[in-house]
Amino acid sequence: MAALNGAVVENGQPDRKVPPPPPLLPRPLRSLEVKYTKIFINNEWHESTSGKKFPTYNPSTLEKICDIEEGDKPDVDNAVEAAKAAFQRGAPWRQMDALSRGRLLHKLADLLERDRVILAVGFPPGVVNIVPGYGPTAGAAISTHHSIDKIAFTGSTKVGKLIKEAASKSNLKRVTLELGGKNPCIVCADADLDLAVECAHQGVFFNQGQCCTAASRVFVEEQIYPEFVKRSVEYAKKRLVGDPFDARTEQGPQIDQKQFDKILELIESGKKEGAKLECGGLAIEDRGLFIKPTVFSEVTDNMRIAKEEIFGPVQPIMKFKSIEEVIRRANSTEYGLTAAVFTKNLDRALTLASALQSGTVWINCYNALYAQAPFGGFKMSGNGRELGEYALAEYTEVKTVTIKLSQKSP
C-alpha cells in the first residue's frame, strides 16, 4: 500500500471505499530556519570557490527563501578528490562490510526525512558529497570529469543527450538516464469508468503535473468518450489548489517562473490549434505560480499539447476507435517511459501491454511503483533502470578471475 497525492492506493488503485487516514507526518513548519546552505565535501561545509551564490524562491509567494552556495568546476574537483580518497583500499568505507553500509544508508534515509542531517549518521569523510549548482557549470564539470565512473541523471531529454555526449568525450563513464515522457493512458469501453477517470486524473495532476510519469495523453474509446470527458472535468473543477503547507491542498504551485510560463504558452497553443478547453486554462493571478487544473477535449495527435511534455496540470483527452489504431498512435512518439491500460478484458490488456513501447505498463492502475519493480524508459525516455535487481547492475562491474591449479596429486 502507498499514498498517492493524499489518496490511499492499494496496488496502484485509489481506495474509494475507505476515507484516507489522517496525515502521518507532523504539520509543516512555515517559519523553518534554513541552516544548511553551503557545499558539503569531506564531511565539512564549504563556501563556493568562486564566492558565488544563487537564490531559491518560494513559488507560492515568490519570496526569496535563502541564498545557496553555487558550486562550479573547482568545487566538483574537490568533491571528487574526497570521494576517491574515501574509496581507496584500506579506507574505512572500503573495509566496512555490506551490512554495516546498509545500516548507514537506512539511518541516512531516516534522518534526511526527519531533519536533513548527514554528519550525525557516521559516514566516513568523502563518502557523501553535495555540490549544488547549475547544469552548464557544476553539471558539465561532473559529466566531463575523468575520475567519475558513473552518473545517474533524472531530467529532460535535451540535457540527457548532453551528458551522454560529455561522457563519451571524456572517460566513457557509465550513464543511466531517466528522462521525459508523453505517456499514453488508454481507456477501453469496457473499463471500470469510475476507476479509469480517477486514476487518469491523479496520474496527470499529481505533483502539479510536474512528473515524468504523468498521464499526459489520455486515449478514450469513442463509445464512452463524452461521459469520460464530463467526469474528468468534474474532478478537475473540484481539485483544491492552494497553499502546499495546508493538508487539504491537492495542487500547489509550479516550480518556477520559467516552467509556469511554458505551461501557459502550451495551453494557449491548445486553444489556437483547435482543442476544446473544457475547464481551467488560466493562472490564478492573486498569488504565486498557480495554474488552474486544465482539461482539453477534441485533441488531435498533431497538436503541441499531444506531442510535447507539458510538465504541468493539463489533461489532453483524445478518442480512438480500434485497438490497432490506439497502439499505433500511442507508440508514435519519441518517448517511451510509462503507459496505462484500463479494461476488464485480460486478452486485450495483455495485447496492449505487449505492443506498447514503454518501460512500464500499468493495467487498471496508475503510478504503481515498488522498490522491487525496475523502472526506466524506452527510446528517448532514457536508458538503464532504477529499482529492482536490474538497478544494482548499473553500479557494479563484472570481473572474471581464472586460476590455473597445480597438476600435482593431492
Side-chain angles (χ1 to χ4, degrees):
M1 180 177 290
L4 177 62
N5 203 28
V8 175
V9 178
E10 184 70 43
N11 295 328
Q13 298 183 9
D15 188 345
R16 301 186 299 276
K17 299 177 183 177
V18 181
L24 299 177
L25 296 175
R27 186 176 298 277
L29 299 175
R30 294 177 180 272
S31 57
L32 179 66
E33 178 187 358
V34 179
K35 297 180 180 179
Y36 306 108
T37 62
K38 294 184 178 181
I39 297 170
F40 187 75
I41 298 174
N42 216 34
N43 279 13
E44 297 176 340
W45 296 103
H46 300 267
E47 295 180 351
S48 64
T49 304
S50 67
K52 293 181 180 179
K53 300 182 180 186
F54 63 88
T56 182
Y57 294 91
N58 180 349
S60 296
T61 63
L62 302 183
E63 296 174 349
K64 186 167 78 169
I65 299 172
C66 63
D67 290 308
I68 306 293
E69 297 291 330
E70 182 183 335
D72 207 328
K73 187 179 184 305
D75 305 294
V76 171
D77 290 339
N78 292 337
V80 171
E81 289 305 311
K84 286 173 64 177
F87 282 79
Q88 289 294 319
R89 290 182 62 194
W93 182 252
R94 286 292 296 269
Q95 293 179 320
M96 198 177 293
D97 59 46
L99 180 61
S100 299
R101 291 184 180 185
R103 285 172 176 162
L104 278 180
L105 290 169
H106 279 286
K107 186 177 179 182
L108 173 61
D110 291 339
L111 291 179
L112 281 174
E113 285 184 349
R114 193 189 75 184
D115 51 17
R116 306 280 191 252
V117 172
I118 294 178
L119 284 172
V121 177
F123 280 94
V127 174
V128 178
N129 302 285
I130 302 172
V131 183
Y134 290 107
T137 51
I142 291 171
S143 301
T144 58
H145 208 291
H146 283 262
S147 295
I148 293 178
D149 299 321
K150 168 70 168 65
I151 290 179
F153 173 76
T154 299
S156 71
T157 299
K158 179 181 178 181
V159 175
K161 289 180 177 180
L162 293 174
I163 292 171
K164 274 270 192 178
E165 181 182 4
S168 68
K169 290 182 176 179
S170 53
N171 62 338
L172 288 177
K173 60 178 63 65
R174 188 179 298 183
V175 177
T176 53
L177 303 171
E178 199 266 89
L179 307 176
K182 193 64 179 172
N183 310 293
C185 177
I186 299 170
V187 182
C188 299
D190 70 332
D192 178 334
L193 196 55
D194 289 335
L195 174 67
V197 169
E198 186 168 1
C199 284
H201 172 85
Q202 297 288 1
V204 73
F205 290 111
F206 172 67
N207 200 40
Q208 298 75 248
Q210 297 170 147
C211 185
C212 57
T213 63
S216 55
R217 287 190 300 154
V218 183
F219 293 93
V220 181
E221 202 161 2
E222 61 180 0
Q223 299 98 303
I224 60 169
Y225 186 83
E227 183 64 21
F228 185 95
V229 171
K230 175 176 172 288
R231 296 192 193 186
S232 296
V233 172
E234 290 170 356
Y235 262 92
K237 287 182 175 179
K238 290 187 295 185
R239 192 168 186 83
L240 186 60
V241 181
D243 182 0
F245 287 99
D246 188 331
R248 297 169 298 176
T249 295
E250 296 177 280
Q251 180 176 312
Q254 308 310 131
I255 186 63
D256 59 25
Q257 188 71 51
K258 182 179 179 181
Q259 183 62 25
F260 176 83
D261 292 340
K262 176 190 173 184
I263 296 165
L264 290 178
E265 194 266 330
L266 279 166
I267 289 174
E268 287 303 310
S269 79
K271 298 176 186 177
K272 292 176 181 177
E273 292 178 346
K276 183 181 178 183
L277 179 64
E278 296 282 354
C279 67
L282 298 169
I284 299 177
E285 297 181 356
D286 62 337
R287 34 191 144 150
L289 304 177
F290 296 89
I291 295 175
K292 293 181 180 179
T294 299
V295 177
F296 279 105
S297 66
E298 306 303 328
V299 178
T300 57
D301 295 351
N302 62 320
M303 295 177 182
R304 288 181 62 196
I305 57 173
K307 296 189 296 183
E308 298 181 27
E309 187 178 32
I310 302 172
F311 225 63
V314 181
Q315 184 179 42
I317 307 178
M318 297 166 277
K319 68 177 69 171
F320 71 92
K321 293 183 179 182
S322 70
I323 296 301
E324 288 305 314
E325 173 203 338
V326 79
I327 289 172
R328 174 180 53 79
R329 293 170 63 193
N331 287 338
S332 62
T333 174
E334 64 181 10
Y335 297 113
L337 188 57
T338 68
V341 176
F342 290 86
T343 178
K344 294 176 183 176
N345 185 304
L346 183 59
D347 287 343
R348 185 179 295 121
L350 293 176
T351 296
L352 284 162
S354 175
L356 292 170
Q357 297 169 357
S358 300
T360 294
V361 180
W362 294 301
I363 308 295
N364 294 328
C365 56
Y366 208 91
N367 274 339
L369 301 169
Y370 301 96
Q372 307 94 320
F375 180 80
F378 289 12
K379 301 189 283 190
M380 301 287 272
S381 286
N383 48 48
R385 293 295 182 268
E386 301 292 346
L387 307 178
E389 186 176 352
Y390 284 93
L392 301 178
E394 308 290 353
Y395 296 88
T396 56
E397 292 283 8
V398 175
K399 178 185 288 187
T400 299
V401 178
T402 303
I403 301 176
K404 183 180 184 302
L405 299 177
S406 171
Q407 296 180 0
K408 295 181 180 179
S409 300

